[in-house]
Amino acid sequence: MVTTEQAVKQPVTPEEYKSGLKPVWCPGCGDYGVLNALCQVYHRLGLKPEETMIFSGIGCSSRITGYLKSYGFNSVHGRALPIAMGAKLARPKLNVIAAGGDGDAFSIGIGHFPHACRRNIDMTYIVMDNHIYGLTKGQLSPTSPHDMLTTTSKFGSIETPINPILLAIGCQATFVARAFSGNIKHMVDVITKGIEHRGFSFIQVLSPCVTFIGKDQFLIIKNLLHYLEDDPDYDPSHRTSAFHVADEKDRISVGVIYQKKKPTYMDQLEILRQNAASKKKKKLADLVEIFRP
Amino acid sequence: MEKRVLITGNEAIGAGAIAAGCDCYFGYPITPQNELTAYMSRWMPAEGRTFIQAESEISAINMVYGAAATGARAMTSSSSPGISLKQEGISYLAGSELPAVIANVQRGGPGLGNIEPAQSDYFQAVKGGGHGDYHVIVLAPASVQEMYDLTMLAFDLADRWRNPALVLADGQLGQMMEPLIPHKMSRKRNLPPKDWALTGAKNREKRVVKSFYPAIGELEEYNKHLASKYRKIQRRETRAEEYFTEDAEVVLVAFGTVARLCREVVRKARQKGLPVGLLRPVTLWPFPTRRFEKLASRAKAFLVVEMNAGQMVEDVRLATSCRLPVSFYGRMGGGVPEIAEIYRRTRKLLMAVSIKAAS
């Protein structure tokens, strides 16, 4: 039996935030980088495992919930966001993180994404984007590039991929960022900022699939990287600039692409509750009297 | 000798669908049926047909709904959790009386379960699955050849009865390879014209596809019409295979993968001179009730074997009006019954009924 004391023992090193379960990911998978980065973020922010809950859907990357010492909920395919939102609304003091892959987020689960963005519930969504379905062995993903060959696009994809960053900014997300699995130190900074942000933060992590796309992905992406932090002229509060960065074709910008201060859902809900309480002139007993035949 | 190909069960469903003239296939990745989606991606375009990997199972079944409404032969496939997602669409297809084919290569449940073979979606398949009073025609293949043949048949039954038809397989049948004879579609099928299909109302009255009957009493009349159609399907489309049942005292009842194991049990028992037979429902809905009624008058006991906690066994008890003992043996969550264990239970049951008969 696990005693309460054991269950809530505060990790003192990043490594101690790992659950000890051996990941099923292929050797070289980008998702290891995300797991290591998250442990460092937890450590840097001193997050208590018992006050932190990570939600995922289905897919290779969604296994991440099992590898962290915080509470984990490996839920339904595509439904990480509504389940995470439900938990956050019921327990606003929990640190809520949702995580998963591009299929989970932008294929079956895409219907939930715009609503999570526009509601601005204080939580963080990390999408490990590898442009392919790995768990089911290499099918087309909604972020697969045009022309990509997969087991379900045997003659090359004829569809236009979704641009998650454009989508998030367009759907009024208040924090939109991109990181790369090949640079953990930078990813730690980005995810830390995302968790610290008050409101919905969306982070796309380019996390290559070495099995179904190839190891060279790490090098290809690395050579295209552009660090927004190094650009003194870039202003992440400027929405038009953010759209521009999101639409780049010749390079891949990483870092905080867009950030805006805005009341969170819970902030507004608190005001709404107070308004509703003050306008509640009639008590239930009075109403019974009014409608008495 | 006829041409044979070595092929997985999942691919055989795809090959059967293409041979049956499937115009549109809409899939979504889920294990253990991915080979079927990959097969359709490879071969549908070459035949001038349409393949799409939809964004979800819900999208796929609704693409089927749209394609079927235009009179196309449309199909989707998935495995258990994905089939749960499709239930709303299947209910609408049944409610709109549209033909469509759905393949469920079952895996363990409930919830995410696992990716191993199971038969735990029997209730969902034969009792309706979604909301409202309806049935889908359910076919249960037990070999790679039947994955092909029954998929072809499913398209014809769907068209004949303007009703969704479901091929209920499992992960084992989907993944295993066997030689397949790829028959051509028969020409003498005599299907009704699709005089309800939405093809553009040029030079004719418009047609309406709907499942909405809001006026008082209107829906009840429509439900009566559906119920009468289901009774006709029950009378005409029941299929079952019997193996050494003529003089059997203990009759094994199984479908799909388990029926293969039970067939081996019967073969072994007959070698030892034991009166054991097998009744294998091929259509799970309509259920072969009359075959059970007949057998119940001469057999002494039934042993139902399934890869679930006991689902078809309820229909066997109903079909036999509990006139004779119906035992059950099942494995769950990816467990496959072993031939030796089924044999042991069969012998035990046989001894029990013999002792009872002697006393």
Side-chain angles (χ1 to χ4, degrees):
Chain A
M1 205 184 106
V2 180
T3 65
T4 317
E5 197 185 351
Q6 278 172 320
V8 298
K9 192 177 164 198
Q10 182 65 15
V12 288
T13 65
E15 197 61 22
E16 281 177 28
Y17 276 101
K18 286 188 183 166
S19 69
L21 200 64
K22 192 174 174 288
V24 293
W25 297 322
C26 307
C29 175
D31 295 351
Y32 286 104
V34 181
L35 176 62
N36 289 327
L38 262 179
C39 289
Q40 290 186 36
V41 172
Y42 278 22
H43 180 255
R44 186 186 282 186
L45 295 173
L47 296 186
K48 292 180 177 168
E50 71 274 20
E51 290 175 357
T52 306
M53 196 154 175
I54 180 161
F55 296 81
S56 65
I58 302 299
C60 293
S61 54
S62 285
R63 300 281 184 101
I64 200 163
T65 45
Y67 308 144
L68 287 159
K69 203 171 259 178
S70 58
Y71 280 104
F73 193 155
N74 190 179
S75 75
V76 186
H77 189 30
R79 316 298 170 207
L81 281 178
I83 293 170
M85 285 192 270
K88 182 69 183 180
L89 292 172
R91 290 273 181 271
K93 283 182 182 161
L94 282 178
N95 305 306
V96 170
I97 298 167
D102 40 303
D104 214 55
F106 302 118
S107 200
I108 188 166
I110 196 169
H112 305 302
F113 186 74
H115 305 288
C117 291
R118 71 185 184 87
R119 275 191 195 110
N120 204 31
I121 293 173
D122 189 14
M123 55 183 274
T124 300
Y125 188 29
I126 299 167
V127 173
M128 289 159 256
D129 191 349
N130 61 3
H131 309 332
I132 199 150
Y133 280 66
L135 195 66
T136 47
K137 295 185 290 203
Q139 290 86 359
L140 194 70
S141 140
T143 58
S144 299
H146 189 264
D147 280 340
M148 188 157 111
L149 292 167
T150 71
T151 59
T152 52
S153 58
K154 291 271 168 76
F155 306 98
S157 168
I158 54 173
E159 297 183 4
T160 304
I162 279 171
N163 181 328
I165 300 288
L166 271 182
L167 183 65
I169 305 167
C171 293
Q172 317 280 349
T174 53
F175 182 100
V176 181
R178 187 189 277 140
F180 170 49
S181 279
N183 188 342
I184 294 181
K185 194 168 167 285
H186 177 259
M187 192 188 341
V188 170
D189 288 343
V190 171
I191 298 178
T192 304
K193 284 177 194 161
I195 292 178
E196 284 174 336
H197 173 77
R198 288 194 81 248
F200 182 77
S201 50
F202 167 64
I203 300 155
Q204 178 198 29
V205 180
L206 302 174
S207 183
C209 175
V210 294
T211 302
F212 294 107
I213 300 189
K215 274 185 278 192
D216 51 347
Q217 280 297 303
F218 275 101
L219 201 60
I220 293 169
I221 295 171
K222 195 183 165 203
N223 290 336
L224 289 170
L225 288 185
H226 167 70
Y227 289 90
L228 289 173
E229 294 81 353
D230 299 342
D231 186 346
D233 295 334
Y234 188 70
D235 175 10
S237 68
H238 196 250
R239 199 154 178 256
T240 315
S241 306
F243 273 122
H244 182 73
V245 161
D247 212 19
E248 287 168 340
K249 299 281 184 283
D250 50 343
R251 62 182 188 184
I252 301 171
S253 289
V254 289
V256 180
I257 296 170
Y258 181 66
Q259 187 168 15
K260 186 189 178 184
K261 275 189 183 168
K262 200 179 154 188
T264 69
Y265 189 87
M266 289 313 279
D267 293 342
Q268 298 184 78
L269 183 61
E270 221 24 74
I271 297 167
L272 186 145
R273 280 170 175 162
Q274 284 169 17
N275 284 346
S278 66
K279 282 176 188 163
K280 199 172 64 180
K281 287 173 190 156
K282 300 287 178 202
K283 287 186 178 158
L284 188 62
D286 302 334
L287 285 175
V288 173
E289 281 310 310
I290 290 168
F291 290 105
R292 194 181 289 283
Chain B
M1 198 176 141
E2 277 178 289
K3 185 187 145 204
R4 281 163 193 259
V5 286
L6 187 64
I7 194 171
T8 66
N10 282 333
E11 291 166 318
I13 292 179
I18 289 174
C22 173
D23 299 298
C24 302
Y25 169 88
F26 308 109
Y28 188 77
I30 187 168
T31 311
Q33 63 86 56
N34 290 313
E35 295 75 12
L36 168 52
T37 313
Y39 185 92
M40 295 310 243
S41 160
R42 170 67 185 84
W43 295 107
M44 287 289 275
E47 297 283 333
R49 324 270 182 87
T50 301
F51 161 85
I52 282 191
Q53 180 186 320
E55 65 273 25
S56 69
E57 289 88 348
I58 297 173
S59 173
I61 191 69
N62 284 294
M63 287 179 183
V64 167
Y65 192 14
T70 70
R73 283 200 147 180
M75 175 184 185
T76 183
S77 69
S78 192
S79 178
S80 308
I83 296 292
S84 291
L85 280 170
K86 292 184 195 291
Q87 291 304 333
E88 181 190 52
I90 297 172
S91 169
Y92 276 69
L93 281 159
S96 308
E97 294 203 270
L98 289 177
V101 172
I102 303 119
N104 179 2
V105 183
Q106 293 171 94
R107 57 189 251 181
L112 194 54
N114 62 15
I115 57 169
E116 291 174 54
Q119 296 181 325
S120 40
D121 303 346
Y122 176 90
F123 280 152
Q124 185 197 51
V126 307
K127 306 294 178 190
H131 64 282
D133 261 329
Y134 76 95
H135 281 286
V136 298
I137 297 166
V138 184
L139 300 164
S143 64
V144 169
Q145 184 68 51
E146 279 194 346
M147 295 284 252
Y148 181 93
D149 294 344
L150 294 184
T151 301
M152 285 179 94
L153 177 65
F155 277 98
D156 283 355
L157 292 179
D159 278 352
R160 182 170 302 142
W161 297 102
R162 288 183 58 185
N163 203 68
L166 185 124
V167 177
L168 189 70
D170 65 62
Q172 186 149 317
L173 287 164
Q175 296 289 320
M176 71 185 197
M177 291 182 102
E178 277 182 340
L180 166 80
I181 299 170
H183 306 294
K184 291 223 163 66
M185 192 160 54
S186 154
R187 293 213 179 135
K188 304 170 280 183
R189 289 173 302 137
N190 212 7
L191 294 172
K194 293 190 171 179
D195 53 8
W196 43 265
L198 308 183
T199 55
K202 200 176 177 186
N203 301 327
R204 63 162 170 78
E205 279 292 291
K206 70 169 181 181
R207 295 164 178 168
V208 177
V209 169
K210 63 169 187 173
S211 67
F212 184 47
Y213 295 90
I216 292 169
E218 196 186 9
L219 180 59
E220 188 169 20
E221 282 312 306
Y222 182 65
N223 285 144
K224 282 181 189 164
H225 156 70
L226 287 180
S228 130
K229 177 173 93 172
Y230 298 144
R231 280 193 298 274
K232 272 186 211 155
I233 298 174
Q234 281 174 314
R235 277 199 301 276
R236 294 192 203 157
E237 302 295 357
T238 303
R239 287 164 172 82
E241 184 201 13
E242 290 186 45
Y243 185 62
F244 285 103
T245 48
E246 308 77 27
D247 59 341
E249 290 184 14
V250 168
V251 177
L252 296 173
V253 186
F255 68 95
T257 289
V258 185
R260 299 167 68 97
L261 308 171
C262 289
R263 177 181 272 272
E264 184 60 17
V265 171
V266 171
R267 202 183 60 79
K268 277 177 77 174
R270 287 288 169 173
Q271 274 174 358
K272 302 212 166 156
L274 303 176
V276 176
L278 167 68
L279 175 55
R280 172 174 80 96
V282 174
T283 51
L284 299 180
W285 195 90
F287 196 66
T289 305
R290 276 194 219 144
R291 303 273 196 126
F292 282 95
E293 282 168 359
K294 268 189 202 162
L295 281 178
S297 62
R298 52 179 199 257
K300 290 186 177 139
F302 286 106
L303 173 60
V304 183
V305 190
E306 299 177 73
M307 292 196 294
N308 57 43
Q311 300 194 14
M312 183 174 69
V313 64
E314 292 191 5
D315 284 335
V316 175
R317 286 185 180 130
L318 279 173
T320 56
S321 310
C322 297
R323 274 189 289 154
L324 68 174
V326 178
S327 306
F328 172 74
Y329 171 53
R331 294 277 309 272
M332 290 162 282
V336 178
E338 285 183 18
I339 290 171
E341 182 59 19
I342 306 171
Y343 184 78
R344 193 183 69 78
R345 286 169 187 259
T346 306
R347 272 200 63 171
K348 204 174 148 192
L349 186 61
L350 193 62
M351 277 166 69
V353 294
S354 309
I355 292 164
K356 201 179 161 197
S359 60

